[in-house]
């Protein structure tokens, strides 16, 4: 099942995001290698600077999705003001399974 993580950064935390980005990218690359990552990317503010994240993962249940979210280096660094984890159904423009 797919789960969407809708993450909002704490105000004034851009430097935390920048400092933690290499570990976050490595974490996502690991999930991708395990075929658990559907897609991910930052939300942007009016100036085009990142201020949150959208990450969609494959997990067997909500508890497993919560564990993946908590393991993200951004979460461990305290970047997020909030994280909403929701089951998600990819209906349109889903890539064909390889």
């Amino acid at each position: 099942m797919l789960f969407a993580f809708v993450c909002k950064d704490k105000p004034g935390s851009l430097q935390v995001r920048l400092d933690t980005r290499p570990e976050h990218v490595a974490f996502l690359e690991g999930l991708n290698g395990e075929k658990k990552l559907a897609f991910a990317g930052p939300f942007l503010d009016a100036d085009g600077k990142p201020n949150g994240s959208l990450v969609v993962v494959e997990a067997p249940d909500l508890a497993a999705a919560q564990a993946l979210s908590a393991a993200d280096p951004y979460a461990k660094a305290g970047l997020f003001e909030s994280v909403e984890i929701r089951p998600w159904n990819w209906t349109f423009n889903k890539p064909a399974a390889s």
Side-chain angles (χ1 to χ4, degrees):
M1 170 175 255
L2 292 173
F3 291 88
F5 305 163
V6 180
C7 310
K8 181 178 178 184
D9 291 2
K10 290 177 182 172
S13 61
L14 180 59
Q15 194 59 52
V16 172
R17 175 177 277 275
L18 296 175
D19 292 345
T20 312
R21 188 172 190 281
E23 293 88 349
H24 169 72
V25 169
F27 172 75
L28 293 180
E29 287 173 347
L31 291 181
N32 199 46
E34 296 170 6
K35 304 222 183 281
K36 293 180 181 178
L37 180 66
F39 58 86
F43 291 113
L44 304 175
D45 66 15
D47 296 322
K49 294 184 178 151
N51 66 355
S53 298
L54 173 62
V55 179
V56 178
V57 300
E58 177 76 34
D61 55 36
L62 180 59
Q66 290 169 328
L68 287 175
S69 175
D72 186 328
Y74 279 168
K76 289 181 176 183
L79 174 63
F80 300 131
E81 177 178 88
S82 64
V83 177
E84 183 178 4
I85 301 174
R86 300 188 61 186
W88 188 69
N89 183 23
W90 196 337
T91 305
F92 290 98
N93 297 326
K94 183 176 181 179
S98 46

